[in-house]
Amino acid sequence: MQERLKELQAEAIQKVTQAVGLKELNDIRVAYLGKKGPITEVLRGMGKLSAEERPVMGALANEVREAISTKIEEKQSELEEAAVQAKLAAETIDVTLPGRPVKVGSHHPLTKIIEEIEDLFIGMGYEIAEGPEVEQDYYNFEALNLPKGHPARDMQDSFYITEEILLRTHTSPVQARTMEKHQGKGPIKIICPGKVYRRDNDDATHSHQFMQIEGLVVGENIRMSDLKGTLEVFAKKMFGADREIRLRPSFFPFTEPSVEMDISCKMCGGHGCSVCKHTGWIEILGAGMVHPNVLEMAGYDAKKYSGFAFGMGPERIAMLKYGIDDIRHFYTDDVRFLKQFAVEE
Ligand code: DAH
């Protein structure tokens, strides 16, 4: 019996040593140490032994069991470790390989133009102001000297949400809001870039949503010559020092007098061509001296304070500056168009 146990131990240990997988190891465990295994079988036969032999044999049997299971456990950790190592080796990544290039976008041409205009005015001491795109009829029209039923409201076909709320048709309501906030005190020097909306059919020169930049200066002794000087600096910095400007009389309900500013055509040097419709001049923006009614409605004493304002469309400016022929290009996000404005930044 003793012999048999020793044999079983040697046999089992050899099999364990040679085992190549966890499944095989488990099969060996069941075969040798399980209830139906040979060791259990040997132990069952212990009843036939004498009282002196029995404890000796019992101890030996336990030793054999112990030795086999220790060996199995050792082998198990060895196999598990090998499996982990194999997995790690299989999943090794070469961190030195170059990555896939990520496509990098660039600033939208409109964003660029707006930032350029902002920088130019910030350099002249202006601050940036913003207002809501969903606006009250009061700020969009009434506070700008356009009472309900005023015919000039037709100049700006509007998207109304309720009787009193609409999508702003221009950035001029930010003027009214800023003046109201200053509670009748100057000075104010702001520009307000933002989106505006009109009930227009989209074509090469119209878009139902576009952008505007509004400017407003309020203070004591602000004159038309200040407006003209400011616009001249703007035009020359934006389009080149060799460009001339001219102011033409115009009408806006919120300014008096009102003007439109043209710049001399770069294409033909002012002689007339198809770009300037043979006039030598290109219209850039609307402007004027803030109407006393607008000042008074915002709480200013129009005898003490005066101001000038202007409004321009950055799309138009970008179109002229870059020779873009269709306003829709700004909004259709065609990468072939956008790519042309990508510069290394
Ligand atoms: N709000 C005008 C428009 O959308 C543009 C404009 C003209 C703004 C004259 C002004 C201004 O501030 O003084 O057509």
Side-chain angles (χ1 to χ4, degrees), residues 182-188 218-220 300 305:
H182 276 69
Q183 299 189 323
K185 288 183 208 72
I188 299 176
V218 175
E220 291 177 40
Y300 280 85
Y305 283 100

Side-chain angles (χ1 to χ4, degrees), residues 156 169-170 172 175 198 212 214-215 252 254-255 286-288 309-311:
Q156 303 185 354
T169 55
H170 51 177
S172 305
Q175 282 189 27
R198 292 203 193 165
Q212 278 194 343
E214 189 81 10
F252 299 103
F254 29 91
T255 43
F310 53 87

Side-chain angles (χ1 to χ4, degrees), residues 117-129:
I117 298 171
E118 281 177 359
D119 284 350
L120 219 147
F121 280 100
I122 288 170
M124 293 196 268
Y126 286 67
E127 283 174 30
I128 311 269

Side-chain angles (χ1 to χ4, degrees), residues 76-344:
Q76 181 162 347
S77 11
E78 208 177 282
L79 287 173
E80 278 169 359
E81 176 63 20
V84 169
Q85 291 305 335
K87 197 161 184 230
L88 284 177
E91 287 173 4
T92 304
I93 45 166
D94 182 355
V95 289
T96 64
L97 278 177
R100 280 190 206 106
V102 176
K103 282 195 182 135
V104 184
S106 60
H107 277 137
H108 192 277
L110 257 187
T111 308
K112 276 193 199 160
I113 278 283
I114 290 169
E115 283 178 358
E116 198 178 319
I117 298 171
E118 281 177 359
D119 284 350
L120 219 147
F121 280 100
I122 288 170
M124 293 196 268
Y126 286 67
E127 283 174 30
I128 311 269
E130 283 180 343
E133 288 171 31
V134 178
E135 185 54 285
Q136 296 171 34
D137 183 274
Y138 176 76
Y139 292 109
N140 196 80
F141 289 130
E142 274 178 65
L144 295 169
N145 205 25
L146 273 143
K148 288 208 165 70
H150 193 290
R153 283 190 178 209
D154 289 349
M155 283 160 73
Q156 303 185 354
D157 271 338
S158 317
F159 286 116
Y160 273 93
I161 292 164
T162 68
E163 283 275 305
E164 296 300 331
I165 310 240
L166 73 162
L167 297 181
R168 67 178 177 193
T169 55
H170 51 177
T171 42
S172 305
V174 190
Q175 282 189 27
R177 285 180 171 273
T178 310
M179 281 193 267
E180 194 182 78
K181 234 185 269 161
H182 276 69
Q183 299 189 323
K185 288 183 208 72
I188 299 176
K189 229 176 151 183
I190 51 157
I191 56 160
C192 338
K195 291 193 191 109
V196 302
Y197 303 83
R198 292 203 193 165
R199 216 150 42 77
D200 265 331
N201 288 326
D202 293 0
D203 63 24
T205 52
H206 294 85
S207 170
H208 62 282
Q209 180 254 296
F210 55 102
M211 303 213 49
Q212 278 194 343
I213 300 181
E214 189 81 10
L216 172 72
V217 172
V218 175
E220 291 177 40
N221 296 317
I222 302 291
R223 302 191 189 108
M224 189 87 182
S225 50
D226 298 313
L227 170 64
K228 191 176 174 201
T230 305
L231 294 181
E232 190 157 7
V233 169
F234 162 72
K236 289 188 183 269
K237 288 217 169 150
M238 204 64 202
F239 296 102
D242 54 337
R243 309 299 280 279
E244 299 294 322
I245 69 158
R246 80 172 179 189
L247 300 181
R248 276 182 293 106
S250 185
F251 171 78
F252 299 103
F254 29 91
T255 43
E256 181 58 36
S258 302
V259 293
E260 269 169 316
M261 180 180 85
D262 299 339
I263 53 164
S264 56
C265 180
K266 192 182 181 174
M267 285 296 183
C268 58
H271 299 298
C273 67
S274 61
V275 172
C276 59
K277 297 192 190 107
H278 305 284
T279 62
W281 295 96
I282 295 170
E283 187 196 316
I284 294 289
L285 52 77
M289 300 306 290
V290 181
H291 197 293
N293 287 355
V294 173
L295 287 167
E296 298 276 350
M297 268 186 279
Y300 280 85
D301 177 356
K303 285 190 196 75
K304 190 172 166 208
Y305 283 100
S306 53
F308 67 72
F310 53 87
M312 63 180 106
E315 285 91 345
R316 182 163 171 74
I317 294 184
M319 285 166 87
L320 288 170
K321 202 170 154 132
Y322 300 128
I324 300 165
D325 59 359
D326 194 320
I327 193 170
R328 289 169 292 196
H329 284 314
F330 293 112
Y331 298 108
T332 41
D333 285 342
D334 186 332
V335 211
R336 291 167 301 178
F337 169 73
L338 297 173
K339 254 192 189 160
Q340 299 175 66
F341 301 92
V343 280
E344 300 285 320

